[in-house]
Amino acid sequence: MLRRHLAIPQDSFKCKVAFCVQGVISPLLSNIYLHPLDLHWEREVKATKMVRYADDLVVLCRWKPPETYMPKLRQFLARLRVTVNEDKTRIVAAQDGFDFLGVHFRKQPSRRDSSKWFCYCWPSRRSMQRIRDKVKAAIGRDNRPSLQEKLDRLNPILRGWSAYFSWLNSAQHFRKVDQYVTWKLRLWLQAKHQRRRRAFWRTPLAYWRKAGLYSTQGRIVHTS
């Protein structure tokens, strides 16, 4: 067997880096690249807890001020040639709350025992606005489709959104979503059938359920 070594100068190749921002594989690539950060933080900074998904992360600090750990984070990220986005990075108290992955987290007294504190979480304002935008786009202004066709477009959106947030203290927010959906459907039906009477607005919830509209359901009502 003959083997021949082919020597090629390095300057004969040109590397092109393609960025996969917001692509399907983008979170996977971020998780692979930043995995050393997870290992380092768990091993060297045991006084805190880091929660990370892709390039979004939260560091929970209990004993020392958060400012103590920011230099350590920046130093290790520099080794990975990654910088902190200063515009999106902030230090907040748990009582003031923060948004992470579409969820708002806030530490506040328990509604059962005010002497104890609990971390409540519910869909963030941005998440609520996104579901409203999706519902509005799904219903649209086209009056030609039937109600069933509109529901076939709406139900997967509502089912997926409620599945993501169903483990939170989001019962109040789920009711708001249901109210918004039925309100938009009433507007659409009013335009479709050209009905202006006020009685048309008294469509009961049972009507929508019988028609097949998916109703979001929360589990626990958080304290306001």
Side-chain angles (χ1 to χ4, degrees):
M1 180 180 294
L2 298 177
R3 295 183 179 180
R4 180 177 298 178
H5 177 71
L6 183 61
I8 302 178
Q10 292 183 352
D11 56 1
S12 299
F13 292 96
K14 292 184 179 181
C15 297
K16 182 178 181 181
V17 179
F19 292 91
C20 189
V21 180
Q22 296 182 350
V24 177
I25 200 174
S26 180
L28 175 61
L29 296 177
S30 298
N31 285 330
I32 295 174
Y33 189 77
L34 294 176
H35 184 61
L37 172 63
D38 302 333
L39 300 178
H40 170 78
W41 205 265
E42 184 177 0
R43 181 175 60 251
E44 302 295 337
V45 195
K46 298 181 179 181
T48 66
K49 176 66 175 179
M50 175 181 288
V51 182
R52 184 185 64 80
Y53 176 76
D55 58 348
D56 295 326
L57 62 88
V58 172
V59 179
L60 306 176
C61 310
R62 184 175 184 180
W63 307 113
K64 295 182 180 180
E67 293 80 2
T68 306
Y69 306 102
M70 283 301 296
K72 298 181 180 180
L73 178 61
R74 289 191 174 94
Q75 182 179 4
F76 190 84
L77 288 178
R79 293 168 54 183
L80 299 177
R81 297 182 180 180
V82 177
T83 58
V84 176
N85 189 333
E86 301 295 343
D87 296 334
K88 296 183 178 181
T89 302
R90 61 192 185 102
I91 298 176
V92 297
Q95 292 83 350
D96 297 332
F98 61 91
D99 295 343
F100 183 59
L101 300 180
V103 180
H104 182 79
F105 296 85
R106 184 180 299 179
K107 182 181 179 181
Q108 55 190 27
S110 172
R111 63 187 180 93
R112 295 184 177 180
D113 186 357
S114 59
S115 63
K116 298 180 180 180
W117 289 72
F118 183 77
C119 180
Y120 289 91
C121 42
W122 54 84
S124 64
R125 292 183 178 179
R126 189 174 181 181
S127 297
M128 293 294 291
Q129 186 59 49
R130 283 181 175 178
I131 187 62
R132 285 192 290 265
D133 293 341
K134 289 183 178 180
V135 168
K136 182 179 179 180
I139 296 176
R141 296 184 177 181
D142 188 1
N143 299 330
R144 291 172 297 178
S146 63
L147 175 60
Q148 188 59 50
E149 290 176 313
K150 291 294 183 180
L151 297 184
D152 290 342
R153 295 184 59 185
L154 273 174
N155 285 341
I157 298 174
L158 298 174
R159 188 178 293 108
W161 189 87
S162 62
Y164 182 81
F165 293 105
S166 62
W167 62 277
L168 307 177
N169 316 114
S170 51
Q172 293 183 8
H173 294 74
F174 277 32
R175 284 196 294 269
K176 291 180 180 179
V177 171
D178 284 342
Q179 292 171 359
Y180 180 79
V181 172
T182 55
W183 175 65
K184 294 297 292 184
L185 284 174
R186 288 190 185 100
L187 287 177
W188 178 78
L189 284 176
Q190 183 186 34
K192 179 180 179 65
H193 299 292
Q194 298 181 357
R195 298 180 63 179
R196 296 290 184 264
R197 292 186 302 175
R198 185 174 300 179
F200 183 75
W201 294 93
R202 299 176 182 175
T203 309
L205 183 60
Y207 169 82
W208 302 111
R209 291 179 177 177
K210 185 177 180 180
L213 176 63
Y214 182 85
S215 178
T216 60
Q217 296 179 357
R219 296 184 177 180
I220 304 175
V221 179
H222 69 267
T223 56
S224 57

